[in-house]
Amino acid sequence: MAANSAAPTHSESQNSQSTSLRALFYIVGAADPGLLPRLIEPMAKMGHVPSRVHASRESGDGSEMVVDLRLSGVSARTAQLVENALRATVGVRQVIAVVEPA
């Protein structure tokens, strides 16, 4: 009978490293009352709470909103899924995403 090894495998080691990423999203969209909840929803559905949410109305006339959303301790796959969801969100004009080690 073989005993289970306590040492992590290569894939386990890679997986633990991949969840220590920080994802930063800079979003520009129409200043609409429903925009913020629509932006946070994809993260909430995946069980994540943003580490930062900052929103402000821009463009002189206030017709545009700029939102800074940040997630910590996520995998590259989660960051990509969130980015895709943000890009598909109604009212979003631009998404800039940066994923870096935490």
Side-chain angles (χ1 to χ4, degrees), residues 12-36:
E12 289 172 338
S13 175
Q14 242 182 349
N15 190 31
S16 67
Q17 290 174 354
S18 67
T19 60
S20 62
L21 298 175
R22 182 172 38 206
L24 314 154
F25 303 100
Y26 179 81
I27 303 121
V28 179
D32 176 86
L35 183 63
L36 281 174

Side-chain angles (χ1 to χ4, degrees), residues 4-84:
N4 287 339
S5 165
T9 65
H10 178 68
S11 63
E12 289 172 338
S13 175
Q14 242 182 349
N15 190 31
S16 67
Q17 290 174 354
S18 67
T19 60
S20 62
L21 298 175
R22 182 172 38 206
L24 314 154
F25 303 100
Y26 179 81
I27 303 121
V28 179
D32 176 86
L35 183 63
L36 281 174
R38 287 193 302 266
L39 294 176
I40 294 172
E41 183 180 19
M43 293 173 223
K45 283 184 174 180
M46 291 182 217
H48 294 284
V49 176
S51 56
R52 174 181 168 87
V53 178
H54 177 83
S56 61
R57 292 177 74 172
E58 305 291 336
S59 283
D61 64 356
S63 63
E64 198 168 74
M65 185 179 290
V66 175
V67 182
D68 174 11
L69 283 175
R70 299 180 189 187
L71 282 173
S72 296
V74 296
S75 68
R77 176 74 176 143
T78 298
Q80 185 64 53
L81 289 171
V82 170
E83 179 183 354
N84 293 344

